[in-house]
Amino acid sequence: MKLRYSTSGFTLIELIIGMTIFSIGLTGIYALLHSTMSSVSYSRDEIVVSGLLREQVDLVMNIRDTNLRNYIPWDSVHVDNSSKSLFASGIYLIENDVNTPKTIINPTNGIIDKSPIKLIKVDSLPNNDEEKWGKTQLRMDMYWRYTHSETSGTGTQYGSYLIISPLSVGRVEIKKDWKNQWWIIDVRVLVNRNGTIREYDTKSMITDWQK
């Protein structure tokens, strides 16, 4: 009886072609996963940014509403390390001051001495996006609250600031009774995702709604 040996199998060329096709398939799957993860990160950033923009606007509105509740001028403010007592044009950082539970008003002049909403004046911001983000970066404290503190908390990929300017038509400011009664609040939020910085903004107008 003769024994027969099978000579069927894969040649080297067939193996190379098969591995090439398999590699191309893996590359496509990896690209799809990477694209999906990027989309998820982008969508998450959009949700966080939307909340931060809304929060910044609400903090400004809370200043006005608290003033009206305390029967003091609606545009009275307390700016950290500043003698300012009324809204003024400029660039600011704004956040909740957890160390001040309520608004403290000086009874002699009606000026706010302390406020649970911290308003910090910024002289200027650099034009470079990375430096701007570094100066406005938000950090997360031990209670998971956002703060602009440079010395405490865990850094996040988000930054925020706001620009206050008088409402105007062309170059003419809109005033009432010779006093500016309308302000534009331009809120900006920056996102630093893997070195790519995007900036979002929303605008609102603050007025004395009782008049």
Side-chain angles (χ1 to χ4, degrees):
M1 184 175 63
K2 293 183 179 180
L3 296 176
R4 295 184 179 180
Y5 296 92
S6 175
T7 58
S8 64
F10 296 106
T11 65
L12 180 60
I13 294 178
E14 288 174 333
L15 287 173
I16 292 175
I17 293 174
M19 292 176 65
T20 301
I21 295 173
F22 182 71
S23 299
I24 293 174
L26 282 181
T27 302
I29 293 173
Y30 174 79
L32 179 61
L33 287 175
H34 184 269
S35 175
T36 301
M37 293 303 295
S38 297
S39 297
V40 170
S41 297
Y42 189 88
S43 298
R44 182 179 61 185
D45 287 341
E46 294 281 300
I47 293 172
V48 174
V49 166
S50 177
L52 287 172
L53 290 172
R54 182 70 264 173
E55 178 189 50
Q56 305 282 290
V57 172
D58 286 345
L59 286 174
V60 177
M61 298 303 179
N62 285 343
I63 293 175
R64 176 199 59 190
D65 296 344
T66 300
N67 291 343
L68 293 175
R69 188 173 63 247
N70 287 305
Y71 303 103
I72 61 176
W74 71 275
D75 51 356
S76 297
V77 292
H78 175 73
V79 182
D80 266 22
N81 302 321
S82 173
S83 59
K84 291 186 180 300
S85 59
L86 294 174
F87 271 108
S89 299
I91 303 171
Y92 298 86
L93 306 179
I94 189 170
E95 63 188 51
N96 283 302
D97 186 358
V98 297
N99 297 317
T100 303
K102 62 180 181 179
T103 300
I104 301 175
I105 304 169
N106 189 321
T108 60
N109 53 24
I111 292 177
I112 300 174
D113 288 336
K114 288 187 178 181
S115 171
I117 299 174
K118 184 182 292 185
L119 202 61
I120 307 166
K121 183 75 164 59
V122 177
D123 293 331
S124 63
L125 286 177
N127 293 324
N128 181 279
D129 286 340
E130 187 172 349
E131 294 179 1
K132 183 191 295 184
W133 172 80
K135 196 166 184 178
T136 62
Q137 183 184 15
L138 287 165
R139 306 180 73 84
M140 197 77 72
D141 68 11
M142 61 183 298
Y143 299 106
W144 297 95
R145 295 173 300 209
Y146 284 113
T147 174
H148 285 98
S149 173
E150 297 179 357
T151 58
S152 63
T154 304
T156 71
Q157 64 265 34
Y158 306 104
S160 70
Y161 66 98
L162 59 88
I163 303 171
I164 297 178
S165 58
L167 178 64
S168 60
V169 176
R171 296 185 178 181
V172 180
E173 294 183 9
I174 298 178
K175 296 185 177 182
K176 180 178 181 181
D177 301 331
W178 300 102
K179 183 176 182 298
N180 202 315
Q181 295 286 324
W182 297 273
W183 294 94
I184 294 296
I185 309 299
D186 186 357
V187 179
R188 307 289 181 92
V189 171
L190 293 90
V191 180
N192 186 347
R193 177 64 64 181
N194 299 323
T196 300
I197 298 176
R198 306 189 304 272
E199 185 169 354
Y200 301 79
D201 77 296
T202 187
K203 293 183 180 180
S204 183
M205 182 173 66
I206 183 172
T207 68
D208 181 357
W209 55 266
Q210 288 191 335
K211 298 196 175 181

